[in-house]
Amino acid sequence: MSALDQSTDHDGRGGDKLSLGVAARLSRYLQVLTQAKKMGKETISSQELSDYTHVNSTQIRRDLSGFGKFGKRGVGYKVDSLVSQIRKILRTSGQHNIALFGAGNLGRAIASSDIFADHGFRVVALFDTDEDKVGREVGPHVVRHARDLKQVVGEEDIVVAVLAVPNPAAQPLADELVDAGVKIIFNYSEALLHVPPEVTVHTSSPAVDLLYALYFYLT
Amino acid sequence: MSALDQSTDHDGRGGDKLSLGVAARLSRYLQVLTQAKKMGKETISSQELSDYTHVNSTQIRRDLSGFGKFGKRGVGYKVDSLVSQIRKILRTSGQHNIALFGAGNLGRAIASSDIFADHGFRVVALFDTDEDKVGREVGPHVVRHARDLKQVVGEEDIVVAVLAVPNPAAQPLADELVDAGVKIIFNYSEALLHVPPEVTVHTSSPAVDLLYALYFYLT
DNA sequence: TAGATTGTTAATCGATTAACAATC
DNA sequence: TAGATTGTTAATCGATTAACAATC
């Protein structure tokens, strides 16, 4: 993880790496803005963004003004152009191909939703190891056998793999993915995955998020 | 959101509110520890915890030592007792009842998994509005019609609702939940939900997490 | 113009980390 | 004992926020 490296220029314009906090907040703004755009909203104020993200409005303005003057005083920010700007800052303007593993309930839910598509991610392949599932259609995908993963990862330039597989299957699969050259593993199983340092694992943990929310309710 | 209120005592022993950062990190430690325990691991060092959580090992020791001397020098922390200690600190030692809405792919995936159960959350009811689904069995649950939600929420002391419903259904359902007295809404739809200030909404956003991970890969 | 909201400053506060003594 | 790892200090650095001038 070189994510902790911090740039010494703090005006943010230098094309240098964002700090962890800034990158995380920009991502959240993008989430809200994307949905606001879908709902036909044309402008949004830092205060409205604050209401949805729970980030202080001054900080939102500060985060954004580091990269340019995107807002209009007295009006707010144009939703549409702010989405483009943040995508540019996060360097995620393009399309990114992802491979999805596991065609169970969770895998099918992910494959049929547009949560990833809305942010420029395209599921290009859905894999399973169950021969009964291979060949079946799930949304726009035909389930492929996981033994083909290396070929597909190479051909389709896949950097991200999403794991919706049972816990015991996760580590062996992760090993194969690392071997095939995947750099980011999004893990929906609960398994603790061992990977080389150049590979990033993000383990989704709804229950942990819930514990956190509950703490502030209970106190 | 009173989550930003900060206590003025910083030793953490006073039974006062944790800061946002500390509470978030403790939750993450708990996630890893819970899984490590499942895998039969008996002790764990701050360095190992750091490898899995990407939190600096000094900070982990610092976070923990604020509440007591849980570790043994030269050995590490006992996984089992550390889990109990953190649960105590986060005040989530008990059981918490949750209601799950939506018996589609995602709802069924959540209902059949033990991600919530592992952390003391018990799904006590699964709702849908589709009459075809009502009455069907999903894991240990029988799908109930959402019109019964108010009764169930009252009877079962439900504080948390998990929404695995289509976007357009989310806001009307949130309104009903607020009316019924639910305090925490865990939103798996993409809809931006409007709720009164005493209710907390957490919107899950895998694509946003992915954007964030991708940024650090791309730079 | 009057009202609203941005962009920016300056001050404060908390988070982070290297280093190391303590001790298992 | 020797090695390992915790608990804690002290210094630094970045995040946060109130306040307000600028301006749409």
Side-chain angles (χ1 to χ4, degrees):
Chain A
M1 290 296 290
S2 56
L4 294 171
D5 301 346
Q6 307 259 335
S7 141
T8 45
D9 99 332
H10 287 240
D11 72 0
R13 283 169 222 262
D16 262 310
K17 255 190 178 170
L18 306 178
S19 76
L20 287 168
V22 173
R25 289 197 298 276
L26 288 175
S27 305
R28 284 179 81 190
Y29 305 156
L30 197 53
Q31 173 192 16
V32 170
L33 290 164
T34 303
Q35 192 58 22
K37 186 178 165 186
K38 264 195 171 176
M39 289 161 46
K41 205 163 166 53
E42 298 198 342
T43 62
I44 195 165
S45 69
S46 58
Q47 186 53 54
E48 285 176 285
L49 264 174
S50 172
D51 292 340
Y52 287 119
T53 59
H54 302 151
V55 175
N56 181 287
S57 68
T58 301
Q59 179 150 33
I60 294 176
R61 297 199 297 279
R62 194 175 223 289
D63 281 341
L64 297 175
S65 73
F67 303 98
K69 307 203 174 188
F70 301 144
K72 270 213 176 2
R73 292 166 200 244
V75 180
Y77 300 87
K78 277 193 65 185
V79 173
D80 212 50
S81 77
L82 195 51
V83 166
S84 313
Q85 294 291 354
I86 295 179
R87 284 210 180 125
K88 219 176 285 171
I89 296 165
L90 291 174
R91 313 197 190 180
T92 48
S93 305
Q95 280 284 328
H96 298 279
N97 291 343
I98 71 183
L100 176 58
F101 293 83
N105 280 321
L106 182 56
R108 290 202 299 274
I110 294 169
S112 342
S113 94
D114 52 0
I115 41 169
F116 286 118
D118 279 345
H119 292 275
F121 296 103
R122 197 163 64 96
V123 175
V124 292
L126 172 57
F127 295 97
D128 207 297
T129 51
D130 181 347
E131 296 287 358
D132 288 346
K133 286 180 183 151
V134 171
R136 279 168 53 181
E137 288 181 19
V138 173
H141 305 282
V142 175
V143 179
R144 308 180 61 156
H145 197 284
R147 74 172 74 88
D148 300 336
L149 82 86
K150 196 157 188 176
Q151 181 200 340
V152 175
V153 166
E155 282 173 4
E156 303 270 9
D157 185 29
I158 286 171
V159 168
V160 179
V162 176
L163 270 53
V165 302
N167 293 346
Q171 183 64 57
L173 177 54
D175 293 340
E176 281 187 74
L177 289 166
V178 167
D179 184 49
V182 166
K183 295 302 180 197
I184 298 173
I185 296 177
F186 209 81
N187 176 29
Y188 278 106
S189 87
E190 294 176 274
L192 299 175
L193 301 180
H194 293 266
V195 297
E198 74 273 14
V199 176
T200 303
V201 173
H202 178 100
T203 299
S204 170
S205 48
V208 172
D209 294 341
L210 206 45
L211 280 177
Y212 175 71
L214 198 60
Y215 173 76
F216 289 105
Y217 166 70
L218 292 173
T219 52
Chain B
M1 289 294 290
S2 56
L4 296 170
D5 301 345
Q6 306 259 336
S7 142
T8 44
D9 99 331
H10 287 239
D11 72 1
R13 284 168 220 263
D16 263 309
K17 255 188 179 170
L18 307 179
S19 76
L20 287 169
V22 174
R25 289 197 299 276
L26 288 175
S27 305
R28 284 179 82 190
Y29 306 156
L30 197 51
Q31 173 192 16
V32 171
L33 289 165
T34 304
Q35 193 57 23
K37 186 177 164 186
K38 263 195 172 176
M39 288 160 48
K41 206 164 167 49
E42 298 199 342
T43 62
I44 195 165
S45 69
S46 57
Q47 186 53 53
E48 285 176 285
L49 265 174
S50 172
D51 292 340
Y52 287 120
T53 59
H54 303 151
V55 174
N56 180 288
S57 69
T58 302
Q59 179 151 34
I60 294 176
R61 296 198 299 279
R62 194 175 221 290
D63 282 340
L64 296 174
S65 73
F67 302 98
K69 308 202 174 189
F70 300 145
K72 271 215 176 359
R73 290 166 200 242
V75 181
Y77 300 88
K78 275 193 65 182
V79 173
D80 211 51
S81 78
L82 195 52
V83 166
S84 314
Q85 294 290 353
I86 295 180
R87 285 209 179 128
K88 220 177 283 172
I89 296 165
L90 291 174
R91 312 196 191 183
T92 48
S93 305
Q95 279 285 326
H96 298 279
N97 291 342
I98 72 184
L100 176 58
F101 294 84
N105 279 322
L106 181 56
R108 290 202 298 275
I110 295 170
S112 340
S113 95
D114 52 0
I115 43 168
F116 286 117
D118 279 345
H119 292 276
F121 295 104
R122 197 163 64 96
V123 175
V124 293
L126 171 56
F127 295 97
D128 207 299
T129 52
D130 181 347
E131 295 288 359
D132 287 346
K133 286 179 183 152
V134 171
R136 278 169 54 183
E137 287 182 21
V138 174
H141 304 283
V142 174
V143 179
R144 308 180 62 155
H145 195 283
R147 75 171 73 91
D148 300 337
L149 82 86
K150 195 156 187 178
Q151 181 201 339
V152 175
V153 166
E155 283 174 2
E156 302 271 8
D157 185 28
I158 287 171
V159 168
V160 179
V162 175
L163 270 52
V165 301
N167 293 347
Q171 183 65 57
L173 177 54
D175 293 340
E176 282 187 75
L177 289 167
V178 168
D179 184 50
V182 166
K183 296 302 180 196
I184 298 173
I185 297 177
F186 209 81
N187 177 28
Y188 278 105
S189 86
E190 293 177 274
L192 299 175
L193 300 180
H194 293 267
V195 296
E198 75 273 15
V199 177
T200 303
V201 173
H202 178 100
T203 299
S204 171
S205 47
V208 171
D209 294 341
L210 206 44
L211 281 178
Y212 175 72
L214 199 59
Y215 173 77
F216 290 105
Y217 165 68
L218 293 173
T219 51

